[in-house]
mmCIF file of all heavy atoms in Angstrom:
data_model
loop_
_atom_site.group_PDB
_atom_site.id
_atom_site.type_symbol
_atom_site.label_atom_id
_atom_site.label_comp_id
_atom_site.label_asym_id
_atom_site.label_seq_id
_atom_site.Cartn_x
_atom_site.Cartn_y
_atom_site.Cartn_z
ATOM 1 N N TRP B 62 -5.476 -21.915 4.983
ATOM 2 C CA TRP B 62 -5.555 -21.051 6.163
ATOM 3 C C TRP B 62 -6.391 -19.829 5.780
ATOM 4 O O TRP B 62 -6.224 -19.283 4.685
ATOM 5 C CB TRP B 62 -4.119 -20.650 6.499
ATOM 6 C CG TRP B 62 -3.910 -19.488 7.399
ATOM 7 C CD1 TRP B 62 -4.049 -19.469 8.751
ATOM 8 C CD2 TRP B 62 -3.475 -18.184 7.018
ATOM 9 N NE1 TRP B 62 -3.735 -18.225 9.219
ATOM 10 C CE2 TRP B 62 -3.378 -17.428 8.182
ATOM 11 C CE3 TRP B 62 -3.162 -17.579 5.791
ATOM 12 C CZ2 TRP B 62 -2.977 -16.097 8.184
ATOM 13 C CZ3 TRP B 62 -2.762 -16.256 5.779
ATOM 14 C CH2 TRP B 62 -2.672 -15.527 6.973
ATOM 15 N N LYS B 109 -4.987 -20.914 -11.754
ATOM 16 C CA LYS B 109 -4.263 -20.020 -10.846
ATOM 17 C C LYS B 109 -2.935 -20.671 -10.493
ATOM 18 O O LYS B 109 -2.874 -21.850 -10.153
ATOM 19 C CB LYS B 109 -5.065 -19.724 -9.594
ATOM 20 C CG LYS B 109 -4.378 -18.685 -8.711
ATOM 21 C CD LYS B 109 -5.312 -18.046 -7.727
ATOM 22 C CE LYS B 109 -5.389 -16.562 -7.959
ATOM 23 N NZ LYS B 109 -6.098 -15.803 -6.981
ATOM 24 N N ALA B 110 -1.897 -19.859 -10.602
ATOM 25 C CA ALA B 110 -0.554 -20.349 -10.287
ATOM 26 C C ALA B 110 -0.174 -19.887 -8.894
ATOM 27 O O ALA B 110 -0.693 -18.899 -8.391
ATOM 28 C CB ALA B 110 0.447 -19.795 -11.295
ATOM 29 N N PHE B 111 0.722 -20.605 -8.287
ATOM 30 C CA PHE B 111 1.278 -20.137 -7.020
ATOM 31 C C PHE B 111 2.618 -20.794 -6.784
ATOM 32 O O PHE B 111 2.992 -21.746 -7.486
ATOM 33 C CB PHE B 111 0.327 -20.440 -5.856
ATOM 34 C CG PHE B 111 0.089 -21.893 -5.697
ATOM 35 C CD1 PHE B 111 0.983 -22.673 -5.001
ATOM 36 C CD2 PHE B 111 -1.011 -22.484 -6.278
ATOM 37 C CE1 PHE B 111 0.793 -24.034 -4.897
ATOM 38 C CE2 PHE B 111 -1.201 -23.847 -6.172
ATOM 39 C CZ PHE B 111 -0.300 -24.619 -5.484
ATOM 40 N N CYS B 112 3.309 -20.279 -5.790
ATOM 41 C CA CYS B 112 4.625 -20.821 -5.463
ATOM 42 C C CYS B 112 4.516 -21.746 -4.258
ATOM 43 O O CYS B 112 4.599 -22.958 -4.379
ATOM 44 C CB CYS B 112 5.593 -19.682 -5.194
ATOM 45 S SG CYS B 112 5.792 -18.630 -6.628
ATOM 46 N N THR B 113 4.322 -21.137 -3.081
ATOM 47 C CA THR B 113 4.122 -21.963 -1.896
ATOM 48 C C THR B 113 2.655 -22.341 -1.801
ATOM 49 O O THR B 113 2.311 -23.455 -1.434
ATOM 50 C CB THR B 113 4.505 -21.184 -0.619
ATOM 51 O OG1 THR B 113 5.775 -20.596 -0.820
ATOM 52 C CG2 THR B 113 4.536 -22.092 0.580
ATOM 53 N N GLY B 114 1.823 -21.368 -2.128
ATOM 54 C CA GLY B 114 0.391 -21.607 -1.999
ATOM 55 C C GLY B 114 -0.045 -21.545 -0.558
ATOM 56 O O GLY B 114 -0.673 -22.455 -0.042
ATOM 57 N N MET B 115 0.288 -20.455 0.097
ATOM 58 C CA MET B 115 -0.111 -20.294 1.496
ATOM 59 C C MET B 115 -1.091 -19.138 1.579
ATOM 60 O O MET B 115 -0.727 -18.007 1.336
ATOM 61 C CB MET B 115 1.133 -20.005 2.336
ATOM 62 C CG MET B 115 0.837 -19.432 3.697
ATOM 63 S SD MET B 115 2.224 -19.632 4.806
ATOM 64 C CE MET B 115 2.784 -17.981 5.040
ATOM 65 N N TRP B 118 -5.712 -16.692 -1.122
ATOM 66 C CA TRP B 118 -5.495 -16.045 -2.416
ATOM 67 C C TRP B 118 -4.802 -16.966 -3.419
ATOM 68 O O TRP B 118 -4.826 -16.700 -4.600
ATOM 69 C CB TRP B 118 -4.658 -14.770 -2.246
ATOM 70 C CG TRP B 118 -3.698 -14.898 -1.100
ATOM 71 C CD1 TRP B 118 -2.481 -15.488 -1.100
ATOM 72 C CD2 TRP B 118 -3.931 -14.444 0.251
ATOM 73 N NE1 TRP B 118 -1.931 -15.447 0.151
ATOM 74 C CE2 TRP B 118 -2.791 -14.811 1.002
ATOM 75 C CE3 TRP B 118 -4.979 -13.779 0.884
ATOM 76 C CZ2 TRP B 118 -2.682 -14.522 2.354
ATOM 77 C CZ3 TRP B 118 -4.849 -13.503 2.232
ATOM 78 C CH2 TRP B 118 -3.720 -13.872 2.955
ATOM 79 N N ALA B 119 -4.192 -18.032 -2.914
ATOM 80 C CA ALA B 119 -3.553 -18.968 -3.838
ATOM 81 C C ALA B 119 -4.582 -19.921 -4.436
ATOM 82 O O ALA B 119 -4.308 -20.622 -5.393
ATOM 83 C CB ALA B 119 -2.461 -19.755 -3.124
ATOM 84 N N LEU B 131 3.926 -24.238 -9.035
ATOM 85 C CA LEU B 131 5.211 -23.918 -9.674
ATOM 86 C C LEU B 131 6.409 -24.507 -8.938
ATOM 87 O O LEU B 131 7.555 -24.124 -9.172
ATOM 88 C CB LEU B 131 5.354 -22.402 -9.803
ATOM 89 C CG LEU B 131 4.281 -21.754 -10.697
ATOM 90 C CD1 LEU B 131 4.285 -20.240 -10.528
ATOM 91 C CD2 LEU B 131 4.505 -22.125 -12.156
ATOM 92 N N PRO B 151 10.113 -19.242 -9.725
ATOM 93 C CA PRO B 151 9.064 -19.096 -8.715
ATOM 94 C C PRO B 151 9.330 -19.780 -7.373
ATOM 95 O O PRO B 151 9.136 -19.186 -6.322
ATOM 96 C CB PRO B 151 7.841 -19.713 -9.399
ATOM 97 C CG PRO B 151 8.063 -19.461 -10.855
ATOM 98 C CD PRO B 151 9.544 -19.595 -11.044
ATOM 99 N N GLN B 172 9.709 -11.112 2.263
ATOM 100 C CA GLN B 172 8.438 -10.729 2.874
ATOM 101 C C GLN B 172 8.248 -11.445 4.204
ATOM 102 O O GLN B 172 8.760 -12.549 4.399
ATOM 103 C CB GLN B 172 7.272 -11.000 1.912
ATOM 104 C CG GLN B 172 6.829 -12.461 1.781
ATOM 105 C CD GLN B 172 7.602 -13.226 0.729
ATOM 106 O OE1 GLN B 172 8.735 -12.903 0.422
ATOM 107 N NE2 GLN B 172 6.985 -14.260 0.173
ATOM 108 N N GLY B 173 7.478 -10.798 5.089
ATOM 109 C CA GLY B 173 7.333 -11.315 6.449
ATOM 110 C C GLY B 173 6.653 -12.661 6.556
ATOM 111 O O GLY B 173 6.643 -13.267 7.621
ATOM 112 N N ALA B 174 6.089 -13.144 5.452
ATOM 113 C CA ALA B 174 5.347 -14.405 5.497
ATOM 114 C C ALA B 174 6.222 -15.565 5.936
ATOM 115 O O ALA B 174 5.716 -16.565 6.425
ATOM 116 C CB ALA B 174 4.739 -14.712 4.130
ATOM 117 N N THR B 178 8.626 -19.138 2.179
ATOM 118 C CA THR B 178 7.779 -18.647 1.083
ATOM 119 C C THR B 178 8.649 -18.068 -0.023
ATOM 120 O O THR B 178 9.865 -17.933 0.116
ATOM 121 C CB THR B 178 6.774 -17.599 1.575
ATOM 122 O OG1 THR B 178 7.487 -16.499 2.127
ATOM 123 C CG2 THR B 178 5.844 -18.178 2.612
ATOM 124 N N SER B 179 7.996 -17.703 -1.103
ATOM 125 C CA SER B 179 8.733 -17.394 -2.312
ATOM 126 C C SER B 179 8.929 -15.895 -2.524
ATOM 127 O O SER B 179 7.963 -15.141 -2.555
ATOM 128 C CB SER B 179 7.966 -17.974 -3.505
ATOM 129 O OG SER B 179 8.170 -17.189 -4.648
ATOM 130 N N LEU B 181 9.779 -14.593 -5.289
ATOM 131 C CA LEU B 181 9.190 -14.239 -6.582
ATOM 132 C C LEU B 181 7.698 -13.961 -6.416
ATOM 133 O O LEU B 181 7.176 -12.985 -6.953
ATOM 134 C CB LEU B 181 9.414 -15.334 -7.620
ATOM 135 C CG LEU B 181 8.794 -15.026 -8.997
ATOM 136 C CD1 LEU B 181 9.744 -15.378 -10.129
ATOM 137 C CD2 LEU B 181 7.443 -15.677 -9.205
ATOM 138 N N ALA B 182 7.024 -14.802 -5.637
ATOM 139 C CA ALA B 182 5.590 -14.576 -5.399
ATOM 140 C C ALA B 182 5.385 -13.191 -4.817
ATOM 141 O O ALA B 182 4.525 -12.428 -5.250
ATOM 142 C CB ALA B 182 5.025 -15.641 -4.463
ATOM 143 N N SER B 183 6.202 -12.864 -3.838
ATOM 144 C CA SER B 183 6.030 -11.583 -3.167
ATOM 145 C C SER B 183 6.362 -10.410 -4.094
ATOM 146 O O SER B 183 5.630 -9.437 -4.161
ATOM 147 C CB SER B 183 6.926 -11.539 -1.933
ATOM 148 O OG SER B 183 6.777 -10.334 -1.243
ATOM 149 N N SER B 186 3.700 -10.557 -7.187
ATOM 150 C CA SER B 186 2.263 -10.824 -7.077
ATOM 151 C C SER B 186 1.595 -10.502 -5.764
ATOM 152 O O SER B 186 0.382 -10.514 -5.684
ATOM 153 C CB SER B 186 1.996 -12.314 -7.350
ATOM 154 O OG SER B 186 2.525 -12.700 -8.577
ATOM 155 N N PHE B 187 2.343 -10.257 -4.732
ATOM 156 C CA PHE B 187 1.676 -10.191 -3.441
ATOM 157 C C PHE B 187 2.341 -9.246 -2.453
ATOM 158 O O PHE B 187 3.409 -9.527 -1.948
ATOM 159 C CB PHE B 187 1.593 -11.585 -2.825
ATOM 160 C CG PHE B 187 0.581 -11.679 -1.728
ATOM 161 C CD1 PHE B 187 -0.680 -12.162 -1.979
ATOM 162 C CD2 PHE B 187 0.886 -11.232 -0.455
ATOM 163 C CE1 PHE B 187 -1.631 -12.216 -0.973
ATOM 164 C CE2 PHE B 187 -0.059 -11.278 0.550
ATOM 165 C CZ PHE B 187 -1.317 -11.768 0.297
ATOM 166 N N VAL B 188 1.723 -8.126 -2.173
ATOM 167 C CA VAL B 188 2.070 -7.182 -1.104
ATOM 168 C C VAL B 188 3.598 -7.110 -0.896
ATOM 169 O O VAL B 188 4.313 -6.866 -1.844
ATOM 170 C CB VAL B 188 1.320 -7.522 0.200
ATOM 171 C CG1 VAL B 188 1.241 -6.304 1.113
ATOM 172 C CG2 VAL B 188 -0.136 -7.947 -0.118
ATOM 173 N N GLY B 189 4.062 -7.336 0.321
ATOM 174 C CA GLY B 189 5.507 -7.383 0.476
ATOM 175 C C GLY B 189 6.189 -6.651 1.605
ATOM 176 O O GLY B 189 7.344 -6.256 1.463
ATOM 177 N N PRO B 190 5.539 -6.462 2.773
ATOM 178 C CA PRO B 190 6.326 -5.955 3.898
ATOM 179 C C PRO B 190 7.199 -7.065 4.480
ATOM 180 O O PRO B 190 6.857 -8.239 4.392
ATOM 181 C CB PRO B 190 5.278 -5.522 4.928
ATOM 182 C CG PRO B 190 4.015 -6.201 4.564
ATOM 183 C CD PRO B 190 4.115 -6.644 3.126
ATOM 184 N N TYR B 249 -2.353 -11.058 -7.111
ATOM 185 C CA TYR B 249 -2.753 -12.293 -6.424
ATOM 186 C C TYR B 249 -2.997 -13.434 -7.413
ATOM 187 O O TYR B 249 -3.945 -14.201 -7.267
ATOM 188 C CB TYR B 249 -4.035 -12.063 -5.619
ATOM 189 C CG TYR B 249 -3.903 -11.253 -4.336
ATOM 190 C CD1 TYR B 249 -3.173 -10.083 -4.289
ATOM 191 C CD2 TYR B 249 -4.556 -11.654 -3.176
ATOM 192 C CE1 TYR B 249 -3.088 -9.335 -3.117
ATOM 193 C CE2 TYR B 249 -4.476 -10.916 -1.999
ATOM 194 C CZ TYR B 249 -3.742 -9.753 -1.978
ATOM 195 O OH TYR B 249 -3.666 -9.011 -0.811
ATOM 196 N N GLY B 250 -2.193 -13.512 -8.429
ATOM 197 C CA GLY B 250 -2.351 -14.622 -9.376
ATOM 198 C C GLY B 250 -3.496 -14.451 -10.350
ATOM 199 O O GLY B 250 -3.813 -15.375 -11.092
ATOM 200 N N GLY B 253 -2.322 -13.877 -15.009
ATOM 201 C CA GLY B 253 -1.284 -14.672 -15.646
ATOM 202 C C GLY B 253 -0.293 -15.254 -14.661
ATOM 203 O O GLY B 253 -0.551 -15.323 -13.464
ATOM 204 N N VAL B 254 0.852 -15.653 -15.188
ATOM 205 C CA VAL B 254 1.831 -16.385 -14.386
ATOM 206 C C VAL B 254 3.221 -15.781 -14.570
ATOM 207 O O VAL B 254 3.658 -15.558 -15.702
ATOM 208 C CB VAL B 254 1.897 -17.873 -14.817
ATOM 209 C CG1 VAL B 254 2.789 -18.661 -13.872
ATOM 210 C CG2 VAL B 254 0.501 -18.486 -14.881
ATOM 211 N N PHE B 255 3.895 -15.547 -13.485
ATOM 212 C CA PHE B 255 5.268 -15.040 -13.550
ATOM 213 C C PHE B 255 6.233 -16.215 -13.467
ATOM 214 O O PHE B 255 6.145 -17.027 -12.549
ATOM 215 C CB PHE B 255 5.517 -14.050 -12.422
ATOM 216 C CG PHE B 255 4.609 -12.862 -12.522
ATOM 217 C CD1 PHE B 255 3.419 -12.811 -11.813
ATOM 218 C CD2 PHE B 255 4.904 -11.831 -13.396
ATOM 219 C CE1 PHE B 255 2.552 -11.738 -11.951
ATOM 220 C CE2 PHE B 255 4.046 -10.763 -13.554
ATOM 221 C CZ PHE B 255 2.863 -10.709 -12.818
ATOM 222 N N PHE B 411 2.169 -17.501 15.706
ATOM 223 C CA PHE B 411 1.324 -18.693 15.625
ATOM 224 C C PHE B 411 1.438 -19.555 16.883
ATOM 225 O O PHE B 411 0.656 -20.461 17.085
ATOM 226 C CB PHE B 411 1.710 -19.545 14.407
ATOM 227 C CG PHE B 411 1.133 -19.031 13.124
ATOM 228 C CD1 PHE B 411 1.913 -18.324 12.220
ATOM 229 C CD2 PHE B 411 -0.189 -19.270 12.813
ATOM 230 C CE1 PHE B 411 1.384 -17.868 11.035
ATOM 231 C CE2 PHE B 411 -0.729 -18.817 11.618
ATOM 232 C CZ PHE B 411 0.054 -18.117 10.731
ATOM 233 N N PHE B 417 -3.450 -16.829 13.334
ATOM 234 C CA PHE B 417 -3.818 -15.416 13.398
ATOM 235 C C PHE B 417 -4.066 -14.914 11.989
ATOM 236 O O PHE B 417 -3.688 -15.546 11.005
ATOM 237 C CB PHE B 417 -2.740 -14.584 14.103
ATOM 238 C CG PHE B 417 -1.500 -14.318 13.279
ATOM 239 C CD1 PHE B 417 -1.463 -13.251 12.378
ATOM 240 C CD2 PHE B 417 -0.377 -15.110 13.408
ATOM 241 C CE1 PHE B 417 -0.323 -12.998 11.627
ATOM 242 C CE2 PHE B 417 0.766 -14.860 12.656
ATOM 243 C CZ PHE B 417 0.799 -13.800 11.759
ATOM 244 N N TRP B 459 1.186 -4.589 13.950
ATOM 245 C CA TRP B 459 2.531 -4.675 13.396
ATOM 246 C C TRP B 459 2.766 -3.381 12.634
ATOM 247 O O TRP B 459 2.045 -3.056 11.698
ATOM 248 C CB TRP B 459 2.708 -5.884 12.463
ATOM 249 C CG TRP B 459 4.110 -5.943 11.913
ATOM 250 C CD1 TRP B 459 5.244 -5.515 12.532
ATOM 251 C CD2 TRP B 459 4.525 -6.421 10.628
ATOM 252 N NE1 TRP B 459 6.354 -5.719 11.725
ATOM 253 C CE2 TRP B 459 5.938 -6.268 10.554
ATOM 254 C CE3 TRP B 459 3.852 -6.975 9.542
ATOM 255 C CZ2 TRP B 459 6.673 -6.647 9.424
ATOM 256 C CZ3 TRP B 459 4.602 -7.351 8.418
ATOM 257 C CH2 TRP B 459 5.999 -7.193 8.364
HETATM 258 C C1 FAD D 200 1.387 -16.120 8.592
HETATM 259 C C2 FAD D 200 1.465 -15.288 7.410
HETATM 260 C C3 FAD D 200 2.160 -14.123 7.484
HETATM 261 C C4 FAD D 200 2.258 -13.343 6.367
HETATM 262 N N1 FAD D 200 3.001 -12.233 6.467
HETATM 263 C C5 FAD D 200 3.212 -11.513 5.379
HETATM 264 C C6 FAD D 200 4.096 -10.415 5.418
HETATM 265 O O1 FAD D 200 4.638 -10.073 6.455
HETATM 266 N N2 FAD D 200 4.320 -9.746 4.305
HETATM 267 C C7 FAD D 200 3.727 -10.116 3.143
HETATM 268 O O2 FAD D 200 3.986 -9.488 2.152
HETATM 269 N N3 FAD D 200 2.867 -11.109 3.087
HETATM 270 C C8 FAD D 200 2.593 -11.830 4.159
HETATM 271 N N4 FAD D 200 1.753 -12.891 4.072
HETATM 272 C C9 FAD D 200 0.978 -13.131 2.865
HETATM 273 C C10 FAD D 200 1.424 -14.022 1.688
HETATM 274 O O3 FAD D 200 0.982 -15.319 1.859
HETATM 275 C C11 FAD D 200 2.846 -14.017 1.327
HETATM 276 O O4 FAD D 200 3.441 -12.823 1.275
HETATM 277 C C12 FAD D 200 3.160 -14.726 0.032
HETATM 278 O O5 FAD D 200 3.832 -13.965 -0.879
HETATM 279 C C13 FAD D 200 3.975 -15.806 0.418
HETATM 280 O O6 FAD D 200 4.670 -16.390 -0.658
HETATM 281 P P1 FAD D 200 4.104 -17.712 -1.228
HETATM 282 O O7 FAD D 200 5.220 -18.378 -1.873
HETATM 283 O O8 FAD D 200 3.429 -18.465 -0.171
HETATM 284 O O9 FAD D 200 3.063 -17.155 -2.212
HETATM 285 P P2 FAD D 200 1.902 -17.946 -2.878
HETATM 286 O O10 FAD D 200 0.946 -18.405 -1.889
HETATM 287 O O11 FAD D 200 2.470 -18.937 -3.774
HETATM 288 O O12 FAD D 200 1.282 -16.798 -3.721
HETATM 289 C C14 FAD D 200 0.751 -15.631 -3.181
HETATM 290 C C15 FAD D 200 -0.172 -15.044 -4.232
HETATM 291 O O13 FAD D 200 0.567 -14.718 -5.394
HETATM 292 C C16 FAD D 200 0.145 -15.475 -6.512
HETATM 293 N N5 FAD D 200 1.324 -15.978 -7.190
HETATM 294 C C17 FAD D 200 2.375 -16.573 -6.612
HETATM 295 N N6 FAD D 200 3.286 -16.894 -7.516
HETATM 296 C C18 FAD D 200 2.810 -16.512 -8.693
HETATM 297 C C19 FAD D 200 3.321 -16.582 -10.001
HETATM 298 N N7 FAD D 200 4.501 -17.101 -10.257
HETATM 299 N N8 FAD D 200 2.569 -16.085 -11.001
HETATM 300 C C20 FAD D 200 1.365 -15.542 -10.740
HETATM 301 N N9 FAD D 200 0.858 -15.447 -9.514
HETATM 302 C C21 FAD D 200 1.559 -15.924 -8.498
HETATM 303 C C22 FAD D 200 -0.690 -16.587 -5.972
HETATM 304 O O14 FAD D 200 -1.699 -16.951 -6.853
HETATM 305 C C23 FAD D 200 -1.246 -16.003 -4.705
HETATM 306 O O15 FAD D 200 -2.393 -15.280 -4.983
HETATM 307 C C24 FAD D 200 1.622 -13.710 5.169
HETATM 308 C C25 FAD D 200 0.922 -14.874 5.126
HETATM 309 C C26 FAD D 200 0.836 -15.669 6.231
HETATM 310 C C27 FAD D 200 0.081 -16.932 6.138
#
Side-chain angles (χ1 to χ4, degrees):
Chain B
W62 163 77
K109 186 161 241 188
F111 61 83
C112 299
T113 311
M115 163 161 112
W118 31 83
L131 298 167
Q172 77 273 27
T178 60
S179 149
L181 179 136
S183 181
S186 305
F187 198 97
V188 202
Y249 286 45
V254 187
F255 299 95
F411 280 103
F417 75 84
W459 180 31

